[in-house]
Amino acid sequence: VSLQRVGGGCGTLFFLSETAPTSAYSSPARSLGDTGITPLSPSHIVNDTDSNVSEQQLFLVVVAIDFGTTSSGYAYSFTKEPECIHVMRRWEGGDPGVSNQKTPTTILLTPERKFHSFGYAARDFYHDLDPNEAKQWLYLEKFKMKLHTTGDLTMDTDLTAANGKKVKALEIFAYALQYFKEQALKELSDQAGSEFENSDVRWVITVPAIWKQPAKQFMREAAYQAGLASPENSEQLIIALEPEAASIYCRKLRLHQMIELSSKAAVNGYSGSDTVGAGFTQAKEHIRRNRQSRTFLVENVIGEIWSELEEGDKYVVVDSGGGTVDLTVHQIRLPEGHLKELYKATGGPYGSLGVDYEFEKLLCKIFGEDFIEQFKIKRPAAWVDLMIAFESRKRAAAPDRTNPLNITLPFSFIDYYKKFRGHSVEHALRKSNVDFVKWSSQGMLRMSPDAMNALFKPTIDSIIEHLRDLFQKPEVSTVKFLFLVGGFAEAPLLQQAVQAAFGDKCRIIIPQDVGLTILKGAVLFGLDPAVIKVRRSPLTYGVGVLNRYVEGKHPPEKLLVKDGTRWCTDVFDKFISADQSVALGELVKRSYTPAKPSQLVIVINIYSSEHDDVSFITDPGVKKCGTLRLDLTGTSGTAVPARREIQTLMQFGDTEIKATAVDIATSKSVKVGIDFLNY
């Protein structure tokens, strides 16, 4: 059943009904009857800017959750003192060589598939289990990437635990969010000295900007399941885009809170060349001293860097995390310094996980892929151990390093390899022609700095190449600053590569506590969601309609003859195009009228596509993502005007889009959220 637009110009009609198709051709819009509606007005746009003014005051606190691929954390701020951002309390556990305010994104379920623990606790408990027992437990890590890589994500998408068993992704994400919710409410209650209710909290969850709409919606559904908010009270939860959050925080930076990597200017008395090493060491010292406090003062001023930016200036935020790298170009709009997204987010799966993957490939090269695959399944906890050992050495990699990096091999690796192959690990290393990895008698793999740098190369090359492409775009040619944020931005190798490639084009800035940039920005966003004003629509949206058939213009297979009139079916009638600028809260409105007073129901199908040159709802890549069904019965007693108005509205929110159809005569209306997971 679909909404049909027929005829050309103003005399267009809409047809609807649920009778059987008149031809064998399977077309979504074939099931037509003889009821129709005609447009009353051309489409126009209404800006509904007052909608988010009033709801601001309801929450006592904003809690932002940075749900990362490799590590996660939360931070909060009380709406009464927005200049103080508190980062969550220190977690139990922690790794040598990795000082971190965040916790690993790892989750452990019991053999009965019940939630057991999260983060370091999950990892350590899993690790201490007897190997045979461990096989029954479900341990998951780095699972967020699944949302990026799954093309046809649904509510039923599975994840695979370390022991090879499958679990529903939605459950795992909901468990993780529920865990953060409980931790945060507990910390807030302890601090306030009284019970904190969930209804006092506005939640913000960050997601990569390059995620497709289904993945963003999936995060919201998981949050509803975890009880952070509900579909009825959806504004309690904001889905924030990671680079936008980073951008908001970078605006507040003072000079002493960042390190500048470009050759263009000396900062704080450091010249460009000293900055990478010395500036970072100094900054790390500063952070170490402040680590105890956990409370960050965000001065309510525009930072110095920012004050150099003028109306229309552009800057790039490069958010490099564990799983993905997101590139976003923003432009300043004065006087309030609102942000406008200039170029739609690009990037890809080039996070620091790529380095882990290269390490795994190296191990396969030395010990054989068959062994590594078996080892991961048979000794999952030891594999996790090995990757932890690698992680801390990975963080020690630097462009100017000369001494080798040692990675401890777990005893069970050495032991299992001997059983599996019948000879020693040492023998395998000698026999493999990987000359830059040696065996040290203390049971370690000894990697030369070059070997380690080689593991970073493919990922860093992808990031640089992506940035080069971006800088070629005309919209991006005159960028003043490049902000490097996210966990992977801590890697000196990445800093150096970005500086070498772009240091002469723009100023490259790294906030000091770069791993927490997104978290703090997300809190600021939750306190003032209106700061982001304009986004680019990632998709084209429209409805399925019918037009009068024009010989030679319309394809013959779309012809439908009904009561002597020739219609073209399946026409895609656009509401908004991909990459078009959309102001937050913007409404796109159309009006129709039923051609026949006796019509009892109107069904409007909403479609989306990544392309903007869409003509028909049957074109490749067009997906149905919503249905509005308006019942026109129950109006017999009232005087219905001859031309009854049916208004269709689409409102573009944070990552949500709401569609509404209103029967003006009776004020009856139906609402639907655009849904990418259930069609």
Side-chain angles (χ1 to χ4, degrees):
V1 180
S2 100
L3 162 77
Q4 335 302 346
R5 178 176 229 166
V6 267
C10 302
T12 308
L13 304 152
F14 277 73
F15 265 69
L16 262 137
S17 105
E18 310 200 21
T19 53
T22 49
S23 100
Y25 178 73
S26 67
S27 142
R30 286 274 158 178
S31 46
L32 289 185
D34 41 13
T35 51
I37 49 181
T38 86
L40 277 176
S41 63
S43 57
H44 55 281
I45 284 177
V46 185
N47 279 327
D48 179 22
T49 41
D50 320 321
S51 63
N52 49 13
V53 179
S54 55
E55 63 184 21
Q56 219 24 145
Q57 308 320 318
L58 307 175
F59 304 104
L60 300 178
V61 66
V62 169
V63 180
I65 299 174
D66 177 1
F67 191 133
T69 305
T70 45
S71 63
S72 296
Y74 65 86
Y76 57 93
S77 175
F78 294 99
T79 44
K80 283 203 174 66
E81 36 171 17
E83 60 289 335
C84 286
I85 297 179
H86 310 270
V87 175
M88 64 186 199
R89 353 183 210 222
R90 265 317 283 236
W91 296 63
E92 68 300 339
D95 289 330
V98 182
S99 60
N100 209 334
Q101 288 274 329
K102 297 201 290 191
T103 185
T105 308
T106 49
I107 196 165
L108 182 64
L109 307 187
T110 65
E112 297 74 47
R113 296 174 174 252
K114 290 275 168 283
F115 175 80
H116 179 272
S117 46
F118 187 90
Y120 290 116
R123 219 180 57 189
D124 298 345
F125 185 91
Y126 180 60
H127 179 251
D128 295 343
L129 287 168
D130 174 80
N132 287 322
E133 208 185 337
K135 282 181 212 161
Q136 305 308 310
W137 289 67
L138 291 92
Y139 178 79
L140 293 105
E141 57 176 357
K142 300 173 187 166
F143 46 85
K144 179 180 163 190
M145 273 306 275
K146 181 84 181 196
L147 298 197
H148 180 68
T149 52
T150 305
D152 49 353
L153 187 68
T154 66
M155 305 291 251
D156 294 322
T157 297
D158 285 324
L159 298 171
T160 309
N163 62 1
K165 294 200 171 125
K166 297 239 185 293
V167 274
K168 292 268 168 278
L170 194 66
E171 269 173 45
I172 297 299
F173 279 81
Y175 276 145
L177 291 170
Q178 193 177 343
Y179 177 76
F180 277 113
K181 174 185 146 183
E182 284 162 11
Q183 292 292 323
L185 287 174
K186 204 160 139 236
E187 180 174 342
L188 288 166
S189 300
D190 290 353
Q191 209 175 337
S194 60
E195 204 56 31
F196 237 86
E197 297 296 326
N198 188 59
S199 56
D200 298 330
V201 180
R202 162 170 263 160
W203 297 95
V204 182
I205 299 174
T206 59
V207 300
I210 49 167
W211 269 14
K212 301 260 191 284
Q213 293 299 104
K216 293 173 182 171
Q217 183 188 337
F218 187 93
M219 215 47 163
R220 189 171 269 283
E221 298 289 344
Y224 290 159
Q225 201 158 315
L228 273 72
S230 63
E232 300 71 50
N233 198 7
S234 62
E235 61 285 340
Q236 188 177 358
L237 168 68
I238 296 176
I239 300 284
L241 305 181
E242 288 164 7
E244 284 186 350
S247 188
I248 292 166
Y249 180 66
C250 289
R251 302 170 42 164
K252 301 269 189 188
L253 286 175
R254 310 302 303 266
L255 284 177
H256 62 81
Q257 295 169 312
M258 60 201 171
I259 297 121
E260 179 154 2
L261 286 188
S262 36
S263 43
K264 286 210 162 170
V267 181
N268 298 354
Y270 281 101
S271 71
S273 55
D274 310 337
T275 319
V276 181
F280 234 75
T281 324
Q282 188 198 28
K284 279 197 173 134
E285 237 338 282
H286 174 76
I287 292 168
R288 201 166 291 128
R289 284 200 299 275
N290 287 358
R291 177 115 308 143
Q292 275 46 58
S293 73
R294 289 194 311 123
T295 299
F296 295 86
L297 279 173
V298 179
E299 297 164 61
N300 205 0
V301 294
I302 296 287
E304 285 99 334
I305 281 280
W306 214 259
S307 53
E308 295 180 30
L309 288 169
E310 288 131 35
E311 167 88 55
D313 277 354
K314 303 167 196 174
Y315 61 97
V316 179
V317 177
V318 180
D319 169 17
S320 44
T324 48
V325 169
D326 249 354
L327 315 176
T328 308
V329 186
H330 279 150
Q331 187 175 33
I332 310 296
R333 293 170 62 183
L334 297 175
E336 324 86 331
H338 283 141
L339 309 184
K340 173 177 174 181
E341 186 182 9
L342 259 202
Y343 184 74
K344 82 168 172 237
T346 57
Y350 317 124
S352 57
L353 278 187
V355 185
D356 301 358
Y357 177 65
E358 289 298 319
F359 177 61
E360 195 178 316
K361 280 196 340 206
L362 179 67
L363 292 175
C364 290
K365 201 166 155 188
I366 300 171
F367 303 109
E369 203 171 323
D370 52 345
F371 166 71
I372 296 294
E373 285 312 307
Q374 274 304 301
F375 180 68
K376 280 160 101 172
I377 293 162
K378 293 281 192 288
R379 300 280 186 275
W383 173 255
V384 169
D385 254 15
L386 175 56
M387 291 316 279
I388 291 167
F390 174 68
E391 180 67 29
S392 88
R393 299 331 296 141
K394 183 170 98 179
R395 287 169 184 265
D400 46 6
R401 191 181 173 107
T402 50
N403 51 336
L405 296 123
N406 294 323
I407 295 159
T408 309
L409 283 180
F411 171 72
S412 70
F413 185 97
I414 299 168
D415 183 51
Y416 191 70
Y417 184 78
K418 201 163 172 65
K419 284 193 185 117
F420 190 89
R421 285 269 191 261
H423 59 240
S424 70
V425 162
E426 197 176 346
H427 177 80
L429 272 161
R430 272 206 311 274
K431 205 180 65 171
S432 82
N433 18 4
V434 180
D435 49 353
F436 39 73
V437 181
K438 300 273 180 276
W439 174 248
S440 89
S441 51
Q442 291 91 31
M444 296 184 185
L445 286 181
R446 180 167 251 169
M447 291 182 78
S448 72
D450 289 350
M452 180 58 100
N453 296 1
L455 299 182
F456 278 80
K457 194 173 173 352
T459 304
I460 289 179
D461 286 353
S462 298
I463 295 172
I464 298 295
E465 187 184 338
H466 228 88
L467 270 167
R468 279 221 169 87
D469 288 352
L470 185 67
F471 272 92
Q472 313 274 269
K473 304 270 187 288
E475 303 95 320
V476 188
S477 53
T478 53
V479 162
K480 271 205 178 171
F481 293 101
L482 186 154
F483 289 102
L484 198 52
V485 303
F488 195 30
E490 292 171 6
L493 290 163
L494 177 60
Q495 294 172 10
Q496 189 202 36
V498 172
Q499 183 188 359
F502 306 105
D504 56 345
K505 292 193 178 57
C506 58
R507 291 172 60 186
I508 296 163
I509 308 281
I510 303 182
Q512 263 178 15
D513 42 354
V514 61
L516 299 173
T517 308
I518 289 161
L519 202 44
K520 295 180 195 171
V523 173
L524 293 169
F525 187 40
L527 291 165
D528 179 18
V531 62
I532 301 279
K533 274 289 183 270
V534 178
R535 287 217 179 109
R536 299 267 156 182
S537 173
L539 297 169
T540 297
Y541 294 97
V543 289
V545 306
L546 257 170
N547 279 346
R548 185 67 63 95
Y549 189 81
V550 180
E551 206 65 57
K553 177 184 165 195
H554 292 135
E557 70 272 13
K558 297 286 184 198
L559 173 63
L560 177 73
V561 181
K562 193 85 185 155
D563 299 337
T565 312
R566 298 156 65 84
W567 308 120
C568 176
T569 61
D570 302 333
V571 177
F572 188 107
D573 197 30
K574 265 188 234 179
F575 262 67
I576 198 154
S577 294
D579 215 18
Q580 196 173 328
S581 292
V582 190
L584 279 191
E586 189 165 297
L587 284 175
V588 181
K589 199 190 262 190
R590 309 261 160 110
S591 292
Y592 311 113
T593 179
K596 218 172 149 184
S598 62
Q599 186 170 336
L600 296 180
V601 71
I602 286 175
V603 178
I604 300 170
N605 284 321
I606 303 164
Y607 296 89
S608 68
S609 166
E610 289 184 20
H611 311 289
D612 55 3
D613 52 345
V614 192
S615 309
F616 296 100
I617 58 178
T618 49
D619 288 357
V622 175
K623 293 193 174 71
K624 183 166 160 185
C625 57
T627 299
L628 288 163
R629 191 186 170 93
L630 192 56
D631 182 0
L632 302 182
T633 53
T635 54
S636 49
T638 52
V640 174
R643 299 187 70 203
R644 181 173 187 167
E645 187 178 355
I646 307 292
Q647 258 184 14
T648 310
L649 308 138
M650 269 177 122
Q651 182 168 27
F652 297 86
D654 59 356
T655 48
E656 284 197 301
I657 295 161
K658 295 191 177 70
T660 316
V662 186
D663 176 4
I664 300 294
T666 61
S667 308
K668 238 190 215 181
S669 72
V670 281
K671 272 198 169 100
V672 65
I674 300 292
D675 185 344
F676 297 96
L677 295 172
N678 295 316
Y679 277 95

